[in-house]
Amino acid sequence: MTGGQVVVDEPLPLGTGGRGAADAVRFLRECQSRALTVRWVPDRDALPFDTGLLHHLPPPAPRPASPGGSGASGGSGASDEAAVWRSRYAYGLFYHRRGPDFVTVMDRRDPSAAARFTLDRPAVLDAFLAVQEPTALDALDATHREAVALLADERLVLVTRGWVVALPPRLRRWPVPCTSV
C-alpha cells in the first residue's frame, strides 16, 4: 500500500524501553516498509536510547502547545532531538534487501559515514531475521546473542532493556534510481 496515512491515537511507548519500545519500533519500521505516513507522538519526552538510530523511521509529530505552556518548542533537549529527527528524516535512508542466503543493508542515516553491509554468515543472518519481531535477549541462544551484539555495534538493531528488534525496513518501493546504488 502506498500513499496511505496512519494516525496513532495513543503515544507510542518508546520512552519506557523494553518490549513496548521494541514493539513501537517494529510498528514504525513496518509502516516505513510500506511507505505509509505516520502521525504519532512518543509516551515521554526523553528516550532511553540514541534517537539517531531511528532517523530513518517516520519522526514524531510536534507536540501540541499545552494551555499556558510553550508546547514542543519550549527549548527542551527532547524537543530539540525530535526537531533534528524531523529535519533528517527521509524515505530510504536505511533499508535491507533479501537474497538467497544473504541480506544486504544500506545505511545512509549519517551521510558522512554511509555504509553497505552484506549479512551472509549463518549465525548473523539467522539472528537478523529472528529479530524482525521483537525478541527477548534471554530467548536467544549464546550464538544468536553474540550475533546480536555484532549487529548492535553496527547500529543495525535496537537493544533496549532486555529486548532487541531489527531497525532497517524491507522496502517494498525502491527509494532511489537503481543506477544510484
Side-chain angles (χ1 to χ4, degrees):
M1 177 190 319
T2 61
Q5 181 173 9
V6 176
V7 177
V8 181
D9 293 332
E10 298 292 323
L12 291 182
L14 288 173
T16 57
R19 172 72 189 255
D23 283 336
V25 168
R26 179 190 174 275
F27 168 75
L28 291 172
R29 186 193 72 215
E30 292 305 309
C31 287
Q32 177 76 356
S33 177
R34 290 166 176 78
L36 297 172
T37 303
V38 183
R39 182 162 178 82
W40 66 279
V41 295
D43 60 337
R44 297 184 183 166
D45 286 334
L47 300 182
F49 47 80
D50 174 13
T51 60
L53 289 170
L54 307 180
H55 285 177
H56 66 290
L57 298 174
R63 290 192 183 267
S66 60
S70 58
S73 59
S76 75
S79 296
D80 293 343
E81 281 184 42
V84 167
W85 186 347
R86 284 189 290 276
S87 72
R88 291 189 179 164
Y89 168 75
Y91 182 81
L93 287 178
F94 187 40
Y95 57 89
H96 79 271
R97 299 183 73 206
R98 295 183 190 174
D101 301 323
F102 73 92
V103 167
T104 299
V105 178
M106 177 61 76
D107 186 356
R108 296 181 300 124
R109 290 173 292 180
D110 179 356
S112 66
R116 182 185 320 216
F117 301 91
T118 299
L119 309 179
D120 56 2
R121 288 182 26 210
V124 175
L125 179 61
D126 289 347
F128 179 80
L129 295 174
V131 299
Q132 294 300 304
E133 295 293 323
T135 305
L137 286 172
D138 292 343
L140 298 172
D141 63 29
T143 302
H144 285 118
R145 280 194 302 274
E146 184 179 330
V148 162
L150 294 171
L151 293 167
D153 287 346
E154 297 297 342
R155 302 170 51 93
L156 302 179
V157 298
L158 172 68
V159 178
T160 174
R161 297 189 179 151
W163 285 82
V164 60
V165 65
L167 290 169
R170 183 177 186 188
L171 296 188
R172 287 161 173 78
R173 190 180 97 208
W174 195 241
V176 294
C178 61
T179 58
S180 298
V181 177

